[in-house]
Amino acid sequence: MGTRHVIAVLVENKPGVLARISGMFSGRGFNIHSLAVAPTLDTKLSRMTIVTDGNQHIIEQIIKQLRKLINVVKVQDLTDHEYVDRELILVRVKATEDKREEVLRITDIFRGKVVDVTPDTITLEVTGSRSKIEAILELLTSIGILELIRAGTVAIARGKKTPKAAGCPE
Amino acid sequence: MRGDEILLRSLKQEGVDTIFGYPGGMVIDIFDAMVRTFSDDFKFILVRHEQAAVHAADGYARATGKPGVCIVTSGPGGTNTVTGLATAYMDSIPIVVFTGQVPTGLIGNDAFQEADIVGITRPCTKHNYLVMSTDELARTVKEAFTIAASGRPGPVLVDLPKDVTQSTAQWDYPTSIELPTYKPTVKAHLPSIRRAADLICQAERPVIYAGGGVITSGAHAELRTLAEMTGFPVTMTLMGLGCFPGTHPLSLGMLGMHGTYRANMAVNDSDLLFAVGARFDDRVTGPVSEFARGAKIIHVDIDPTSIQKNIEVDVPLVGDARDALSRLIEILEERGPQTVNKEKLTGWHAQITAWRNEQRLRFDRTTTTIKPQYVVEKLYEMTAGRAIISTEVGQNQMWAAQYYLFDEPRTFLSSGGLGTMGYGFPAAIGAQVAFPDKLVIDIAGDGSIQMNIQELATVAQYKLPVKIAILNNGYLGMVRQWQERFYDNVYAHTDIMCAPDFIKLADAYGALGLRAETTEEVVPVIKQALETDGPVIMDFVVEREEGVYPMIPAGKSITDVILI
Ligand SMILES: Cc1ncc(C[n+]2csc(CCOP(=O)(O)OP(=O)(O)O)c2C)c(N)n1
Ligand SMILES: [Mg+2]
């Protein structure tokens, strides 16, 4: 296992493109930790954030192989730069009478939101960096997580712009 | 204009004049239009299995340099093309395959003869398309040909739902297209070329390692110039055979698992390895940690993913080989003749000659039983080295590569990357269709030839004078050789003595069948075959347990070479 890399990929918003990308990863034995994808402001394009890992050699291959795909517009390894990454989670925790206070307090500390409550569960929405998400999950685990949905990481470079449609892919 | 007509007109615009294919319900309109409206425009070759259509298009492309074209039906027609596509993909061969598809409204319903061929072939095509409207058809054809033939070439598949070929659209063929997401790098960086020139001037034990990319980019003349001006010896990969004259004094022959001793020794001892259009395949390198350990490596390749993939190189040159080589030559010329000191290489050449004399390619020349190497050697001599040779896969392929010397590019057609048995015969058909007057010979194994033997009907129908030379050892010989060497002589399911009588088989298809059972019968059989106008099967009953040597066992390096 190598280091974690967050790769931003701008692709044409066409049928089958996601399959091309995921197929390239599986076919060549590369890892995908998470993959988040949605159209950009220009709906002809989609932006993917792929979290993967590997040594420098593997990451270089991943990036080159991505660039080689015909529908890929631009690829950028955000890990090379300063970037912000966020993940959204929805989590349902066991929250009987005696635990409810604690769950709400944790939610507060992590600036989460309560999105649903039943007599013995609370469902939270939390957004944050990876370390923040890991931290709250650790706390909630000891209370009892019933269900967890993670949206996958999305990321953006700080300061200068992230991949743009204009210009040719590198 | 109807979609089928748009398609065929588009093909004409692309300069296509030959199509290989097989009909079926979902392409019946295209075939109908081909006969009714375009009968003067295309030479159509009806094969007997879609796999053969793709290999034939591939052979056509390798022999001519132009993209090969196939049209087949949906479902099983499409799935039968997969091996051909994967073969062309591994060897970077430009072909465009059109498959029929069920009408757009039925896609996803498990309709009769529906297969998700775009999904199936995604990992074995350079790109593929499902055309959902007749309006997109012309542009898609243009894109398909552009992508197939440019950059690092490869197969492209275009899936055509039946209603797309039946509906109408405006005829509007783009003369050129911009693909904003596809910019194959073509020019290597000048500073890197200069660095390469520096290393070339310093080298004392250099080797040029040339692959199929030299042929693809048409850089054979530049390669020869470079070798002659520097005095650098040249070794070729299987895919590279013909990119540098095999009879040239600087040729070391093929390298790799069954390469010549001198080629592998030279690479091993080199201080500069100049790789061009080659990709450091494991059949060439063995364990990369052992490969050319003392060498600085320059690597010219048009595909950035090939560079630093298998091996760390010192000077990567991402770009078209022909362009990179000609600029390199210019730089070397500017620096003047003294910069490349050929004298300095005298010792190196003497060493290489010593290696050659120490371990030549050889076989026992005293036997009555036919040695397969002898057959290839005689084919070489009796055709004066001027035939287009295709091969099957296995020992036959390696003997062809070792004993037939190729002086011209595009004269050796062989499935290198995928190693597809059954490739050679249909590929020979493709080459023969492209060059009706040239001599085309498939050097075959008795196993491989049976994988597309049905194409004898195709050569009979179109009177294609393809010659097949079967090196008949009654074994899946290459596998048997591994079993002999590494599996205690346990010949697990590699005995194929139960085979058809190839003479009768030839006869049944209307071809000529000839057999040689002793060494002295070899020359007369070849002679008669070469004098025959039509297709011929030559059945050479050869030494059953002959092996291909030298052999570097898989995962080992030259120091572990088995010489005989
Ligand atoms: C389609 C396919 N199946 C299996 C193999 C594995 N294989 C490699 S060489 C070989 C034996 C080929 O036998 P034959 O054509 O008689 O050639 P020989 O080695 O005897 O010259 C086999 C089975 C292959 N390369 N291709
Ligand atoms: Mg055999």
Side-chain angles (χ1 to χ4, degrees), chain B residues 393-396 399 419-421 445-448 451 473 475-479 496:
Chain B
V393 168
Q395 296 182 312
N396 58 86
W399 285 317
T420 308
M421 289 172 69
D446 47 324
S448 303
M451 285 213 175
N473 51 16
Y475 278 120
L476 299 170
M478 186 56 93
V479 182
I496 49 166

Side-chain angles (χ1 to χ4, degrees), chain B residues 49-62 68-70 72 76-97 99 117 120-121 123-126 153-157 414-424 426-427 451-452:
Chain B
H49 188 301
E50 289 89 350
Q51 182 189 351
V54 188
H55 290 328
D58 169 316
Y60 177 94
R62 290 188 208 225
V69 177
C70 295
V72 304
T79 55
N80 272 347
T81 67
V82 171
T83 302
L85 288 165
T87 302
Y89 186 62
M90 288 291 265
D91 290 345
S92 311
I93 305 304
I95 55 173
V96 181
V97 173
T99 47
I117 198 66
I120 290 169
T121 61
C124 62
T125 52
K126 183 171 173 186
V156 175
L157 180 136
S414 193
S415 167
L418 200 67
T420 308
M421 289 172 69
Y423 168 80
M451 285 213 175
N452 272 314

Side-chain angles (χ1 to χ4, degrees), chain A residues 55-81:
Chain A
N55 59 31
Q56 205 43 51
H57 175 76
I58 290 174
I59 298 299
E60 190 182 321
Q61 264 300 310
I62 290 176
I63 289 170
K64 285 176 173 177
Q65 294 288 355
L66 283 168
R67 287 191 179 135
K68 188 167 158 179
L69 295 172
I70 306 288
N71 301 117
V72 170
V73 181
K74 182 145 180 154
V75 184
Q76 194 182 28
D77 185 358
L78 293 176
T79 326
D80 293 344
H81 312 282

Side-chain angles (χ1 to χ4, degrees), chain B residues 151-171:
Chain B
R152 178 180 182 170
V156 175
L157 180 136
V158 181
D159 201 18
L160 301 168
K162 187 165 179 163
D163 54 326
V164 169
T165 57
Q166 288 173 328
S167 310
T168 60
Q170 201 71 26
W171 165 249

